[in-house]
Amino acid sequence: MDVDPRHYDLVGINENDIHNVVLSYLVHNCFNETMESFIACTGMKQPDDHLEGMEKRKRIFNFALDGNALKAIELTNQLAHDLLEKNEELYFDLLSIHFGELVRSRKCSEALEFAQAKLTHFGKVQKYVEKLEDFMALLAYEEPDKSPMFHLLGLEHRQKIAESLNRAILEHMNLPSYTAMERLIQQTTVVRQCLSQELGKDTHAAFSLKDFLES
């Protein structure tokens, strides 16, 4: 019999299910050594079908995160040769990382040459025009890190792109592009929000995932 969602707090949780959720997170994020230690401690079976390309994904992620986008592109093409051809937006984002690193290094002439060779054709597509304008505007500042577009050179920007690339590679390999933990959080958020609406705003405050995790 289905359990009333309002009584989920009373439902027991299988320890193996928790282990699988944690393992999914470690594999997704390429935490190889931590995963091996976790498997050894829990006695779980190593998921060989999920380990294909794990070390390669880790290298690609780290290259993108560190700003070496051209190397990330090269390795991505080796691991998933047609991925970036089909995902033009992701390809643009990776190229923009390299452009940003050239600007940060004050290699402005090289940055312009790179933009003309690799980014110009994106200007024919409306959704890239504003992005291109923002990146090109970085050239006007002696200290681009302090410009209004400084976020385009930041670690957070590169991390977002690296994570998108990792998800795209996983999907290309027919593996889950989101961890079990992320899917559980998404489902929990939706269920809680539905319950809040069902019980009425006057009875319970609107559900906040941030508040729930901090409670």
Side-chain angles (χ1 to χ4, degrees), residues 23 26-28 30-32 35-36 39 45-57 79 170 173 175:
L23 185 61
L26 297 176
V27 171
H28 177 95
C30 307
F31 296 142
N32 307 46
M35 181 203 68
E36 291 174 359
I39 289 174
K45 181 180 178 181
Q46 189 161 324
D48 295 329
D49 58 327
H50 282 60
L51 295 179
E52 182 183 357
M54 186 173 172
E55 186 60 39
K56 292 179 180 178
R57 283 194 297 112
L79 184 61
L170 284 166
M173 299 170 69
L175 295 172

Side-chain angles (χ1 to χ4, degrees), residues 96-198:
S96 71
I97 288 179
H98 181 67
F99 177 83
E101 291 303 302
L102 291 174
V103 173
R104 187 206 301 276
S105 303
R106 304 312 297 154
K107 298 178 181 179
C108 296
S109 296
E110 190 174 339
L112 279 172
E113 291 176 4
F114 178 79
Q116 290 172 350
K118 297 293 185 179
L119 297 175
T120 300
H121 75 279
F122 285 99
K124 300 176 183 179
V125 182
Q126 185 59 41
K127 68 177 180 179
Y128 297 116
V129 172
E130 185 175 348
K131 291 182 179 180
L132 281 170
E133 290 175 348
D134 287 343
F135 275 105
M136 296 306 293
L138 289 168
L139 293 168
Y141 296 88
E142 292 186 7
E143 297 181 85
D145 286 330
K146 296 181 181 179
S147 72
M149 287 72 66
F150 71 94
H151 61 282
L152 297 175
L153 304 176
L155 177 61
E156 185 176 345
H157 177 71
R158 297 195 302 276
Q159 182 167 353
K160 182 179 178 181
I161 295 172
E163 289 174 351
S164 295
L165 178 57
N166 187 45
R167 294 188 197 282
I169 293 173
L170 284 166
E171 185 174 355
H172 186 273
M173 299 170 69
N174 294 317
L175 295 172
S177 57
Y178 286 86
T179 67
M181 187 180 300
E182 289 171 309
R183 295 197 300 272
L184 281 170
I185 290 175
Q186 290 167 345
Q187 184 176 2
T188 299
T189 301
V190 171
V191 170
R192 289 278 186 165
Q193 289 174 342
C194 289
L195 284 174
S196 295
Q197 294 173 3
E198 179 184 327

